[in-house]
Amino acid sequence: QKEVEQNSGPLSVPEGAIASLNCTYSDRVSQSFFWYRQYSGKSPELIMSIYSNGDKEDGRFTAQLNKASQYVSLLIRDSQPSDSATYLCAVYLGSNYQLIWGAGTKLIIKP
Amino acid sequence: DAGVIQSPRHEVTEMGQEVTLRCKPISGHDYLFWYRQTMMRGLELLIYFNNNVPIDDSGMPEDRFSAKMPNASFSTLKIQPSEPRDSAVYFCASSDNFSGNTIYFGEGSWLTVV
């Protein structure tokens, strides 16, 4: 059973602090890793993708991948109330459209 | 491009009725996906098409669900007969590949079966 695990939260973070979201996956052949943001009542939208070990930064967002430990994380610096959303982790296995989704972590940024 | 267009946005129907959800993918995208999202089960892939051909329908919950893609710009997801447990948000998404980095979701169809 291929699985992607996320803590459902809610994760409450004060405004201006760093929010850290984590995701673990079970299948070692996983190739690509994605973070999607979903506002309440809206559809998921891609915010970060990462393909190799290490860090990838994009503005206030940093994705971190550790394939040996099978986890991927998303850091949000200088958290803003507009970052309050559910963050979905998705893992692509590289064949037959095996894009496996986590259940999402609800993030609340407190002003 | 207008993005992935879904209709209806909201539907409330009585148990036993037929429900048809519609989707227009982004022009040029070869892949079309139907997802269902609930609080309990999260985001589930129901079926996906490549070049209008259904490739994997293993996520379709039962025979009451069917999906078609008669051409590159239109797809339907049909539930007949509908049941209260079908209440969910149904997302259509399209992509020009299936690696996950170019998948675009429609705004969803919110279905309530009473």
Side-chain angles (χ1 to χ4, degrees):
Chain A
Q1 179 75 12
K2 303 175 179 67
E3 292 184 342
V4 175
E5 301 283 346
Q6 294 183 257
N7 188 320
S8 63
L11 175 65
S12 186
V13 173
E15 184 176 358
I18 296 175
S20 178
L21 304 163
N22 298 312
C23 170
T24 59
Y25 58 95
S26 62
D27 199 310
R28 288 191 173 273
V29 301
S30 302
Q31 294 186 356
S32 310
F33 307 85
F34 308 94
W35 284 100
Y36 281 75
R37 179 177 61 199
Q38 186 175 22
Y39 291 116
S40 180
K42 300 295 185 181
S43 58
E45 57 178 338
L46 179 69
I47 55 170
M48 287 288 286
S49 57
I50 188 166
Y51 305 99
S52 55
N53 281 328
D55 294 1
K56 178 181 178 182
E57 187 174 317
D58 183 1
R60 296 186 296 111
F61 297 95
T62 299
Q64 299 176 318
L65 175 61
N66 184 322
K67 289 189 176 182
S69 301
Q70 295 177 241
Y71 82 79
V72 57
S73 61
L74 179 70
L75 302 179
I76 307 175
R77 292 182 299 281
D78 187 24
S79 297
Q80 303 296 310
S82 60
D83 296 324
S84 297
T86 295
Y87 289 80
L88 301 170
C89 174
V91 175
Y92 176 60
L93 300 182
S95 64
N96 294 333
Y97 189 72
Q98 288 289 308
L99 185 64
I100 311 300
W101 294 83
T105 298
K106 184 174 183 178
L107 176 66
I108 299 173
I109 306 299
K110 299 183 298 182
Chain B
D1 200 308
V4 177
I5 300 172
Q6 291 187 246
S7 65
R9 290 295 317 281
H10 299 272
E11 179 149 349
V12 180
T13 191
E14 291 185 347
M15 182 175 63
Q17 296 298 305
E18 178 180 292
V19 173
T20 299
L21 308 178
R22 299 172 178 80
C23 176
K24 176 178 168 39
I26 293 173
S27 178
H29 281 189
D30 297 331
Y31 293 88
L32 183 139
F33 311 93
W34 282 102
Y35 282 93
R36 178 173 67 177
Q37 188 174 42
T38 62
M39 289 291 292
M40 291 296 295
R41 300 176 65 91
L43 196 62
E44 303 174 278
L45 177 65
L46 300 178
I47 185 171
Y48 82 93
F49 296 82
N50 179 216
N51 291 322
N52 312 337
V53 176
I55 303 301
D56 184 357
D57 65 353
S58 60
M60 296 286 261
E62 48 197 274
D63 291 345
R64 296 185 298 107
F65 287 69
S66 62
K68 294 181 179 179
M69 192 167 185
N71 57 63
S73 60
F74 184 67
S75 177
T76 60
L77 177 68
K78 188 172 293 186
I79 309 172
Q80 168 62 22
S82 58
E83 298 182 2
R85 59 194 170 117
D86 301 330
S87 298
V89 184
Y90 291 82
F91 287 107
C92 177
S94 71
S95 177
D96 60 2
N97 63 65
F98 53 61
S99 69
N101 63 342
T102 60
I103 180 170
Y104 296 92
F105 287 82
E107 294 189 335
S109 292
W110 297 70
L111 175 65
T112 302
V113 183
V114 298

